[in-house]
Structure formats: C-alpha cells, structure tokens
Amino acid sequence: MTQTSETAAPVEPPVSGGKPARTRVHRAWFVAAVTFVTIIGAAAFRSVPGLFIDPLHDEFGWSRGTIGAAVSVNLALYGLTAPFAAALMDRYGIRRVVAVALTVIAVGSGLTVWMTAAWQLLLCWGLLVGLGSGSMALAFAATVTNRWFTERRGLVSGILTAASASGQLIFLPVLSWIVSRHDWRPAAVTVALAALAVVPFVWLLLHDHPADLGQKPYGAKEFVPKPAPVPGAARRTLTVLASAVRTGPFWLLAGTFAICGASTNGLVQTHFVPASHDHGMPVTTAASLLAVIGVFDVVGTVASGWFTDRFDARRLLAVYYALRGISLLFLPILLAPSVHPPMLFFIVFYGLDWVATVPPTLALCREHYGDDSPIVFGWVLASHQVGAALVAFLGGLARDTFGSYDVVWYASGALCAAAALMALIIRRRPPAPLAPAAV
C-alpha cells in the first residue's frame, strides 16, 4: 500500500532476497511527468493576457495602462508568492499546496466573466490568479527536481520549465480562436476548467518524496529518509532571504532574472499580440506566432538543461541574454500586417531563448545555496516577476503615451546586454574540501 502520510518517519527501502528491487522506469520519472502535466494545466492562464487586452479595452473602455496594471499585479504576486510556496511545500507537502493553488486559479479565472469594474479585474485576474499561479511557479519544479533527482537535474529542470511553454503552445491557438469567434468570457471559463481538470492527477499521483514509496532519489547511491515537516514556513522563507541577501551571487542572479522576466512575460507574452495587431496583423495570426515561440521554447529549454549538466552555467546565461537582446532590437522593423521570413526567423530564434535561462539559474542557486536553493530560487523568481510586472504596466503606458511599443523593445534589448555582463561576473563557488581519510 502506498504511504501518503505527511509525517517524518523514514521508510526503509524494501529488500527482497538480498537484492535491491528493480523497476524498468524509476518512479521519479512518473512524478516528473505528473508535474509536467500540472504545469501545463496552470499555464493556460499565462496565455490569456495578450488576448484579452483589446477585447477588454473595447467592451469596458479601460485603458491599456489599467489592464496592464492588473497584469502587473498578477505577475508580481506570481513571483512574490513563489518563495513562500516552496516553504509551504516543505511544511504541508507538494500535493496539498499544488491542489489548492490550481483551485484558486480556477476560481479567479471563472469569476472574471461577471466583472463590470476595473477593481474586479484587479481582484480576480490580479490577486486570485496571481496567488494561485505563484504557488505553481518554477519553485514547484525546483522542489520536485531537488527531492526526486540527484542525477539529470539540469535536464529535468529544463523539461519542467518547458511545460509552461507547452501549455502556451496548446492553449494559445484555442483561446485566440474562442476570443475571435465567441468573445473573451468563454476563454476565461476554458482556463478555469483546464486548471480544475488537473487537480485529480495531482491528488492521486503526485507523491511528495521518494521515501513515501520506499525508494531512493533517481541516481542516488543511498536511501534518503523523508525530512521532518518544517514549521514556520513564512519565518523560514524570510530567514533564508536574510541570509541570501548578504551574498553577491544572489543580487546578480536576481538582477539578471528580473531582466529575463521583463523581456519575456512582461514584454513579449503580454504585448506581442496587441503590438502585432497595431501593425495590421490579425489577432489569431499573432497568437499563433506566440504559440510557435512556445514550440521552440520547449526545444531550447530542454537543450539548455542538457548544456547546464555539462558547461559553465554563467557563460550559458551570458550567451542567452546577449542573443535575446539582439533579437529584440530587430523586432520593431519586423512587425507587419503579414508574416514574412524574417519574422519567422525571429520567432524561432527568440523561442529557443525564451526560458533557456532557467536551468543554469537553478544550477547556480543549487551551487551557492544547497538545501535552501528552492527557496532562494523562489526569491530570484520573485525578482523575475517584479521585472515582468513593471514592463507589463510600462509597456501599456508607453503604448497609450507614444502610440507604439517601439521604445519598449529597444529598452529591453539594452537591458538584456546588461544582464549578459552581470552573468559573467557571478563568482564560482569553490568545491567543498574532501574529508580526510580515516587512519
């Protein structure tokens, strides 16, 4: 019988006939698969903001700055919730936290169909979905990877990071079709149903720790007992932050990741569709291009995980940010009513780089902060979302003020160049000295 208790009592690995039990596929891969599907279900909402800006503006007369402010609240809470969610997972278990988070996302998205005022948009779209999606942030993937894998961590973190892009790939064309044919409300209901559909998989199949099944983490040579639940989740989260802010690598990782969020979620994910529509491109075409970015993001992120297992994570980050900055500088001259080969090249090039920064950033957090790395990464992710939130708001404000998004594209390209330089000056942590041999 599978043990699902949240207690800390260690479960010894089963022994049969003096030989370790063998399975063809380690259960860690099943847990990773459930995590992948869960993140896809939660990613449905990440596809919505760019599709809803024009319909909400047309129906309610809200300015793009007002709508961008709701997106900004959502993105900021998405990041600020992540470190606390990582600590809550240590206290109450992954399964409980994720199931509640998916339900909150569904409630927040479902309630938007009855909103009539901008404050309701801020409450549902900003507060509720921001809190729920924050608990489903990349700190979730980091916690699963750290608990279930000691080998292939870079590859697994790349695959789980790509899940968000896969969700975008699945939902963007569908939601853009629904918005164009049936209005934005059925699309909001679709997002709510997608989040709810994943809850049973989480509750039945997402185990908290290998010890619950009497197994070792994938690649581990020794059995790892399940650690005791950690009380005082909020206090621990803040204590880890207080320790991390005294180190230089934390500020460099947080700074680079803030620029990462500004140049992806805040800029392209939120404003690419309305910016393309400004140049005469149909919304469904622009949404399809954004979905294609998701296709190549999967390839780029998994490849980045593979590279992270083999190469210096700092140099990988520098290359990724430099290439992203160059691509954004060219985007304003590529936007047109129809899709031309140079735009397709941008989509492929930018897609490969979209969140390729996550595996090396995770690796550097593990290198510098050890067992606290999921919580530290949660705070680094918070900076990512604060950067995204600022640009989501400033991008809409720039569009209202200047009549175009050009200044935002150029500024983001320059910021990416700064991030490349910051990545190169992160210090390497020296390896721990070997213990002296017993005499």
Side-chain angles (χ1 to χ4, degrees), residues 222-239:
E222 297 180 358
F223 182 75
V224 179
K226 184 176 181 178
V230 181
R235 183 173 62 253
R236 182 182 176 219
T237 301
L238 295 174
T239 300

Side-chain angles (χ1 to χ4, degrees), residues 25 60 93 130-131 134 144 151 161 191 214 260 277 288 291 304 338 346 371 381 419 426 438:
V25 180
F60 297 106
L131 290 173
V144 170
E151 293 182 355
T161 301
V191 171
C260 178
H277 190 53
S288 297
S304 177
S338 58
F346 167 84
D371 291 340
L381 179 63
I426 297 174

Side-chain angles (χ1 to χ4, degrees), residues 109-253:
S109 183
L111 287 177
T112 58
V113 301
W114 289 290
M115 66 184 179
T116 56
W119 69 265
Q120 295 165 342
L121 177 68
L122 288 165
L123 175 65
C124 297
W125 202 357
L127 179 63
L128 291 178
V129 179
L131 290 173
S133 57
S135 300
M136 290 288 306
L138 293 173
F140 168 41
T143 301
V144 170
T145 303
N146 281 4
R147 289 188 182 184
W148 282 89
F149 293 86
T150 58
E151 293 182 355
R152 303 290 187 266
R153 281 178 168 174
L155 177 63
V156 174
S157 63
I159 292 172
L160 296 182
T161 301
S164 181
S166 299
Q168 178 177 291
L169 166 65
I170 292 169
F171 287 106
L172 255 176
V174 175
L175 294 176
S176 65
W177 182 84
I178 292 174
V179 170
S180 63
R181 297 292 183 91
H182 302 287
D183 196 22
W184 62 271
R185 288 179 177 84
V189 173
T190 301
V191 171
L193 294 177
L196 283 178
V198 183
V199 173
F201 293 95
V202 171
W203 195 253
L204 296 174
L205 301 173
L206 188 61
H207 298 283
D208 288 325
H209 196 279
D212 289 341
L213 304 176
Q215 292 194 352
K216 298 180 291 187
Y218 179 82
K221 301 191 183 326
E222 297 180 358
F223 182 75
V224 179
K226 184 176 181 178
V230 181
R235 183 173 62 253
R236 182 182 176 219
T237 301
L238 295 174
T239 300
V240 170
L241 174 64
S243 175
V245 296
R246 297 187 180 96
T247 65
F250 174 81
W251 291 106
L252 291 169
L253 288 169

Side-chain angles (χ1 to χ4, degrees), residues 348-439:
V348 173
F349 189 84
Y350 186 85
L352 290 171
D353 199 303
W354 178 274
V355 284
T357 55
V358 173
T361 302
L362 266 171
L364 289 168
C365 285
R366 279 194 295 267
E367 177 182 323
H368 286 275
Y369 303 105
D371 291 340
D372 289 333
S373 62
I375 296 177
V376 174
F377 180 73
W379 284 113
V380 172
L381 179 63
S383 71
H384 180 283
Q385 295 307 115
V386 168
L390 285 172
V391 172
F393 170 68
L394 293 175
L397 187 63
R399 172 62 178 79
D400 290 334
T401 303
F402 302 110
S404 79
Y405 288 99
D406 288 359
V407 66
V408 188
W409 305 123
Y410 295 134
S412 296
L415 285 173
C416 287
L421 294 175
M422 292 165 66
L424 288 175
I425 62 175
I426 297 174
R427 292 182 294 104
R428 294 300 305 269
R429 185 181 180 89
L434 295 175
V439 178

